[in-house]
Structure formats: C-alpha cells, structure tokens
Amino acid sequence: MSVAISQRTARQFLLESLDLVHHHWMIPKKRGALACVRALEAIQIDPVARVGRNQDLVLWARDERYRLGDLDQLLERGEVFEYRANEASVLPMEHYPLFKGVRRRWQERLKPELDRYPDTAKRVIRSIQDRGPLSARAFDSQKKVMGYWDTALAGTKETSHVLNLLVDSGQLMVVKRDGALRYFDTADHAVPVHIWDQASQIDEEEADDNLFDKYVRAYGLIRGPHRRLGWSDQSLAIPRARLKSRLDQGRMISVAIDGVATPYYMLAEAQERLAAWESRRGFARPVRFLPPLDNLLWDRDRLMDLFQFHYRWEVYVPAHQRTFGIYAMPVLAGDRLVGRVDPELRRLDATLVIHKAQWETSAAISARLFQAVEEALEKWAKKLGAQRVVYEQPWSRNENGNQKTSGKSRAPSRMPYDF
C-alpha cells in the first residue's frame, strides 16, 4: 500500500511523531521527562556540553517545564536505562527486553577484547556486587590501554576501559550520573525483577522484531535501507527483510512525498495521524533550538528532502574548515528550519554567547519571525542559567547555502514563513 502526501504534511506529521508539536486536542494536561522519553523512544547521549548535555537539550526543546536533573532522577529510579540504540541512548526501562539480541551480539563482538583483561573484569564485577554501584574513580589502575576514544597513544585506565566493555556487552549498566561521573551496577540488580524475567523469557527473534517497530516509531518516517535500520546491529539484509515483510503484510506502508524521489515508509497504524495533518491547515508555531544530536537531525538526508536544510555537526571539524560553528543548533520555527545559532554557555559570568547566528537563504524572514526567535532565545538562555545573551556578530544570511544537494528534492527558491 502507498499514500501520496505533500512536503508540508510530511514535515508536520514528522514533527508530531518526534514530539515537537501536537494537534491542540492532543496536548496532554501534564508532561514529564518520562513521557517525553517514551514518546521519542530513545534520546541520544553525548558528553559534549558546550551549552548543556544533548539529552537535556532534546527534552527542553519538547517540554518547557523540564528541569535539569529530571532525567538523572529517572535513571536512579530505574525508569529509564542507557544502551546502544541510535548510538548511546536513554531508553524506557520497559523496553530493556527488546535489546536481548543486541546485547548478545555485542557480547560476542567484545569477547576477544574482554578476554585480554579477565582478572580486571572479575575484580570490577566482584567489587560492584560486594559494594553496590561504583564509579570509575573507585578503581585504581596504573596501567593505561587503548580505550574507545584514544587514537594514537594508550590513555585510558584499564579499569575504565573494562567498565565500558562490560556496559556495551550488557553485563553492567549505568545507574546514576553525577555530572560527568557515571556509576555502574550489575544488570541483574539494576533491572526491575519483572522486566528481567521478561528479558529472560522473550525469544531473541521476537525481541529483534519488536525492536524494529520501536526504531520506526522513533524515526516516524524512514528512508529505507540504512546502516542503523532496526537498531538490531545485524547484517543490513536482515532488517531489510523485516521492512519488506511488513510492507507485504500491510503493517507498514510506502509514502510518496511530493517533490521527493526517494520513497519513505511508516507504520500503517499511524495513517490516521497522517490523514489528520493532510486535512488541517492550522499549525502551532513555537520556536525551538535543536541540539546537534536531536532526533529530528538523525537522518540528514531526510532534512534535505523535507526541509531543504543541510546540517553537519562541526565539533570534530578543524576550526579553519568550519562553516557554521562548533555547536551550531538549527532553529525550528513552526514546521520550518529557518536558521542556526552557534551558542556557548559561559558559566563563569552566566552569559550565553552566540558566536554566529545565520538565517537560511531560502527563508523569508519577517519582523515577526525575527522577534519570535530572539525572544525564544532569551527565554531559552534563562533555562540554561544565563542572565544575558551576547551576540558576537549580528544575524546574517547563510551565504554558503545548502552545500549538500541530492538532486532528489524540489526546493523552492524562497520558502514562506507564516509569522
């Protein structure tokens, strides 16, 4: 089955799927961090905190009442857990059983590396079992090894490296965060008993199958074959077969988007929501600032297809090669990505410094939109703990344009913004 929709409908359906906008009748009376995590299915974690942690910024973009520390409290209460989905992610604890196959495959992959440190692994696990959750600081190790982030020289404590291996293999879990410090516990102790039992009983194939549906819900609209398809960490042929099976069974449908050559896919159960957006003309117009690993930015090709917006995170790009800035954050206004800002929270004097602020060349910027974005930026700064906002340079147009074009999407020369 296939449906044809406009780019406008695709954008608005996608934004609702990613919890960035709601029909007025769908807005819940009460929101909370756990509700957001469940709605998003997964939130990516990243240690770079130029203005804040990615996971906090994702939640702030969706819930104005989110408070710093809410997510960490969920982790301590065992209502969410951390594991590999869209890379390292925060996930609802009830979905722990769905990663049974992923954990086994990571165990097999990491076994040769873990086998290099058998005594250290036993000591780490035994210490946690005896003493309860511990951080990496609780383990003394003079030996340095090549860790995950070392490129040339061995610079990671052996015990820290082993802790990371045990987490990725599913034997340990992060159960608490205190700033940048993580505390680890054994998985059988960290996971609630009833969920642990479900994980023990579920068939691995069933777990992978349900995980595929979770992946599709998390993305809202998917473009088909992709290295992360299904999050199952299997050969791409396997999740591709799952996609085909769902299409054949009518559990998923193909979506043809006007002006986009690439076919998209969605869960058939979401058709009613899609139809609602196709028939509506009104749209809420909040302004949001999206962190580099926001769920909307997971698929950069989709950004080009639906928003005509090229995005690249330049944190690891040499300074002289950066175009938009080390932590450029797209500005979402209504259902359009109208520009980007490169902020830095200067904590010593409580100042949010905007190193660069650029409008997209395709955006028709009205005085009303300009005011809405600047007011939203001031409000967002206060949430971050800043007392003032300082611009290093005035707003400008993105003279570089969209550097990446696939030739598959029809992009208007100037997109109207109803502000």
Side-chain angles (χ1 to χ4, degrees), residues 403-415:
Q403 297 176 342
K404 180 181 179 182
T405 56
S406 63
K408 298 178 180 179
S409 301
R410 184 184 65 213
S413 57
R414 182 58 63 89
M415 293 183 287

Side-chain angles (χ1 to χ4, degrees), residues 52-80:
R53 303 183 308 180
N54 184 79
Q55 55 268 38
D56 293 322
L57 298 176
V58 167
L59 288 166
W60 260 321
R62 289 156 174 85
D63 185 358
E64 292 185 349
R65 288 177 288 185
Y66 175 74
R67 296 170 302 176
L68 191 65
D70 285 354
L71 189 61
D72 293 334
Q73 290 178 17
L74 293 179
L75 184 65
E76 288 190 52
R77 294 201 300 264
E79 296 183 85
V80 299

